[in-house]
Amino acid sequence: MALATGLSHKCRVTVIPSTPLVTFLERVQETALGTFGGKNFDAKLYVDLSLKFNLSKTEKAFDGLPRSDENGTVSVKDLKEFIATYFADAGDDLLHYDPEDFVPEPEGFLPKVKNPEVRAWALEVHALWKNLSRKVSDGVLEQPELHTLLPLPEAVVVPGSRFIEVYYWDSYWVIRGLLASKMYETAKAIVTNFIFLVDTYGYVLNGSRAYYTNRSQPPLLSAMVYEIYNRTCDVELVRKALPALLKEHAFWNSEIHKVTIQDAQGCNHNLSRYYAMWNKPRPESSTKDKESASKFLSDSEKQQFYRDIASAAESGWDFSTRWMRNTSEFTTLSTTSILPVDLNVYILKMELDIAFMANVLGNKATMESFLEAAEARKKAINSVFWNGEMGQWFDYRLANGTICKESETWQACNQNQNVYASNFIPLWIDLFHSDAALVENVMGSFQSSGLVNVAGIATSLINSGQQWDFPNGWAPLQHMIVEGLLRSGLKEARSLAEDIAVRWINTNYVGYMKTGAMHEKYDVQKCGEFGGGGEYIPQTGFGWSNGVLLAFLEEFGWPEDRSIGC
């Protein structure tokens, strides 16, 4: 038995206000759904449009559109004409950019890749960085009020397809790939943009859009800086980043995120949760969110549901049964009532990275204080999430789905014992993978979990139709688990890591040869098949998939005599 405490002030509604432009574009989005219908409708497209004229003129023209008497819809012809007249195309405010540090075949590129076929393909994937590089147009910098795109100071690398702006956690794996491609300046520019966002907002946004200011994403900025420093020894980057990292750490440990759990011995443990500062439909999916929320009768229930949807988006796992009380009912999302294993691992890594960087800069007091914080979080992770019987770390669900009470009873049954890839993410961190006995225990659990499939690691064992569930495999999850196994130094762990990496490389290769593209996610049941499910059609490009592929090829190579394919 243990006690979870949450002070009542945590129940104050925290909402970051929207902008007049975003509010107006949501109206256009809703009208477009009524006019064009739901087939192939992508709500995000409408909130990514930029204005050709000022907002009041555009809004006046919109309000003046003729509408049908029956249901107030605008005709297809009128709406198409209005959009063409008053808006620039989504994406026009981000210009293609040639990165100065891109060369077609960098010196020392993937030295362990000996197979000519694999090498030629890797160079094609490397060349995709040029396709995905963008710079914010002068128009955004001069008239930011006409755009939902935010005016970032440096060039960016976008994921691809409908994701035409930079995203926070995607960028960690983009950077891992850029480092394999020797594109150090491009990698540093991404970090510079994120430091700018922390300086402006107090945290890194989910993505560089005005409608993303109400939430962050998995906090991996410190990990980005750490990896770049490891390759470049750029002390100035560390000096520039450290104040932003301290600010970000404070954000993730602020009152809306922090939950204190008291264990059976009376020890208090602080852990963090996702908590979007929002209680309305997400502007980029407004029409869908309203439809999902229509099951709720009261405004307060709808608002809580909207917060939980936005918080699931903040987690990066949008969407998954992991956040649902009932795995077959989407409206039981309760993200803010869950203490997630992976989020706390990322914050632990942030604490270790800050300690490392403080040491680089000779700041011993900060180093010691963050080493203590990391040790405390490690204890918290093991006290609250670890299940020795199962050999996994499980998310913990706060009782009654709220922490508004002064206290609540903690019980082992509040661990979510469904199998998710996130249950194994602690292996990524040195404080866990340096314990050989622990790694052996967790590795046995992982191998018998059902997650390891013919084409990689599944996200979960539940086929819900959501994209962060079975049978989808995602590049970041493959990478963190493989890297954790590898860094443990155990021979069997290295062998398992390489086996998974080879499966993933094979499925990426066959998918690329079939479709001419790298994909956002893959179906781990079938080699060479891309994934599906979720609230939008499968996307190509694709930032983090490219990054993980190049990182795997850099680490494991590909022998000349090993064939590639399914």
Side-chain angles (χ1 to χ4, degrees):
M1 286 285 182
L3 209 62
T5 60
L7 300 177
S8 54
H9 66 238
K10 289 192 179 177
C11 299
R12 286 206 300 258
V13 175
T14 308
V15 177
I16 300 287
S18 190
T19 67
L21 175 59
V22 170
T23 304
F24 168 63
L25 291 175
E26 284 184 83
R27 289 179 60 209
V28 176
Q29 178 194 91
E30 197 152 7
T31 302
L33 179 62
T35 297
F36 302 132
K39 197 177 179 210
N40 299 326
F41 181 78
D42 188 349
K44 184 178 182 295
L45 175 73
Y46 296 92
V47 289
D48 290 352
L49 296 170
S50 49
L51 305 186
K52 291 180 182 174
F53 309 100
N54 66 36
L55 180 57
S56 60
K57 180 176 178 173
T58 309
E59 209 158 3
K60 192 177 175 188
F62 179 72
D63 291 338
L65 287 171
R67 294 171 187 267
S68 73
D69 296 337
E70 294 156 35
N71 50 13
T73 54
V74 175
S75 74
V76 170
K77 179 178 175 290
D78 286 344
L79 189 57
K80 276 187 172 172
E81 268 177 26
F82 167 74
I83 289 171
T85 305
Y86 285 89
F87 296 100
D89 287 345
D92 276 6
D93 40 15
L94 263 179
L95 310 173
H96 274 272
Y97 174 76
D98 273 343
E100 287 168 19
D101 53 356
F102 175 84
V103 293
E105 184 157 8
E107 197 180 327
F109 179 67
L110 306 183
K112 297 185 201 169
V113 176
K114 306 297 186 190
N115 180 307
E117 200 181 336
V118 177
R119 188 162 195 82
W121 170 52
L123 284 167
E124 284 187 36
V125 173
H126 160 73
L128 294 174
W129 298 132
K130 277 185 79 163
N131 297 9
L132 298 172
S133 292
R134 302 282 188 280
K135 186 115 182 154
V136 174
S137 73
D138 290 343
V140 178
L141 303 170
E142 288 156 13
Q143 292 184 288
E145 72 283 358
L146 302 183
H147 306 264
T148 60
L149 190 72
L150 299 175
L152 296 176
E154 299 288 340
V156 300
V157 177
V158 301
S161 296
R162 78 195 282 267
F163 300 113
I164 52 178
E165 53 283 305
V166 73
Y167 281 80
Y168 183 9
W169 82 311
D170 295 59
S171 296
Y172 172 76
W173 288 279
V174 166
I175 284 173
R176 292 298 298 263
L178 289 169
L179 295 177
S181 290
K182 318 291 185 191
M183 293 174 66
Y184 306 131
E185 295 311 311
T186 300
K188 288 177 195 176
I190 294 170
V191 164
T192 300
N193 285 327
F194 289 155
I195 293 170
F196 166 78
L197 290 175
V198 175
D199 289 345
T200 308
Y201 298 96
Y203 46 93
V204 184
L205 309 185
N206 182 138
S208 58
R209 289 276 175 192
Y211 52 77
Y212 284 144
T213 55
N214 56 59
R215 61 180 189 259
S216 186
Q217 253 192 343
L220 291 168
L221 179 56
S222 73
M224 298 176 204
V225 177
Y226 178 85
E227 292 298 335
I228 295 170
Y229 176 79
N230 262 355
R231 297 285 181 119
T232 64
C233 297
D234 187 339
V235 177
E236 282 316 302
L237 181 71
V238 170
R239 202 183 308 281
K240 195 167 73 168
L242 190 58
L245 294 174
L246 294 172
K247 227 182 252 187
E248 184 179 45
H249 184 265
F251 169 76
W252 283 103
N253 289 281
S254 62
E255 61 177 37
I256 59 171
H257 294 115
K258 188 171 80 171
V259 179
T260 304
I261 306 281
Q262 195 179 76
D263 67 18
Q265 286 71 46
C267 294
N268 281 343
H269 301 286
N270 291 331
L271 290 162
S272 301
R273 59 174 177 167
Y274 292 110
Y275 196 93
M277 296 165 286
W278 193 242
N279 60 0
K280 302 178 188 74
R282 291 167 300 148
E284 75 278 15
S285 296
S286 182
T287 46
K288 266 202 173 77
D289 288 0
K290 283 178 188 168
E291 189 188 334
S292 300
S294 61
K295 295 189 176 183
F296 297 105
L297 300 176
S298 77
D299 282 350
S300 64
E301 282 179 314
K302 282 183 180 174
Q303 286 175 0
Q304 184 55 47
F305 176 64
Y306 290 143
R307 191 185 295 279
D308 281 315
I309 286 186
S311 301
E314 181 172 60
S315 80
W317 286 50
D318 43 339
F319 294 104
S320 170
T321 53
R322 193 179 160 198
W323 312 122
M324 300 175 202
R325 284 189 302 277
N326 172 354
T327 57
S328 55
E329 180 46 66
F330 182 68
T331 54
T332 65
L333 271 182
S334 53
T335 321
T336 57
S337 312
I338 293 165
L339 296 177
V341 171
D342 49 0
L343 171 60
N344 285 283
V345 168
Y346 303 143
I347 298 171
L348 170 57
K349 174 143 178 58
M350 189 196 305
E351 288 159 349
L352 292 168
D353 292 341
I354 289 173
F356 172 84
M357 289 176 217
N359 188 42
V360 166
L361 299 174
N363 186 337
K364 294 287 183 274
T366 302
M367 179 188 83
E368 282 162 17
S369 117
F370 275 85
L371 285 176
E372 274 175 36
E375 199 48 51
R377 195 171 297 268
K378 179 193 174 185
K379 276 187 189 151
I381 286 169
N382 281 337
S383 298
V384 177
F385 300 138
W386 175 245
N387 187 309
E389 208 176 304
M390 302 288 287
Q392 298 177 34
W393 292 268
F394 292 122
D395 292 339
Y396 182 77
R397 185 176 291 286
L398 298 160
N400 308 319
T402 177
I403 60 160
C404 290
K405 296 177 181 174
E406 289 300 316
S407 64
E408 60 184 51
T409 308
W410 185 97
Q411 291 176 329
C413 64
N414 286 342
Q415 286 188 329
N416 179 357
Q417 294 199 11
N418 289 329
V419 177
Y420 295 96
S422 51
N423 299 2
F424 299 96
I425 297 300
L427 278 185
W428 191 42
I429 303 297
D430 177 61
L431 285 183
F432 297 104
H433 68 229
S434 56
D435 179 338
L438 175 72
V439 173
E440 281 181 9
N441 180 3
V442 174
M443 196 166 73
S445 172
F446 175 62
Q447 285 174 294
S448 61
S449 68
L451 289 175
V452 184
N453 281 254
V454 66
I457 303 165
T459 309
S460 79
L461 301 181
I462 301 167
N463 194 341
S464 65
Q466 297 299 338
Q467 59 172 355
W468 287 84
D469 271 316
F470 188 85
N472 285 345
W474 293 82
L477 302 179
Q478 318 298 314
H479 184 258
M480 285 185 283
I481 293 172
V482 163
E483 192 160 78
L485 289 167
L486 184 65
R487 287 181 175 170
S488 73
L490 295 186
K491 196 177 164 194
E492 315 84 78
R494 181 182 174 92
S495 167
L496 175 59
E498 184 159 11
D499 177 53
I500 293 164
V502 166
R503 292 176 195 215
W504 188 253
I505 293 165
N506 275 322
T507 200
N508 282 203
Y509 177 81
V510 173
Y512 186 89
M513 292 304 152
K514 278 203 298 199
T515 64
M518 292 290 287
H519 293 266
E520 179 193 28
K521 53 189 177 274
Y522 291 85
D523 180 340
V524 296
Q525 298 175 107
K526 306 168 195 147
C527 182
E529 291 293 317
F530 57 84
E535 60 175 4
Y536 54 80
I537 60 168
Q539 305 295 297
T540 59
F542 196 89
W544 63 16
S545 300
N546 308 352
V548 169
L549 172 72
L550 294 174
F552 278 171
L553 288 173
E554 183 176 50
E555 178 61 53
F556 298 105
W558 202 273
E560 193 163 356
D561 57 356
R562 183 198 281 158
S563 63
I564 185 150
C566 299

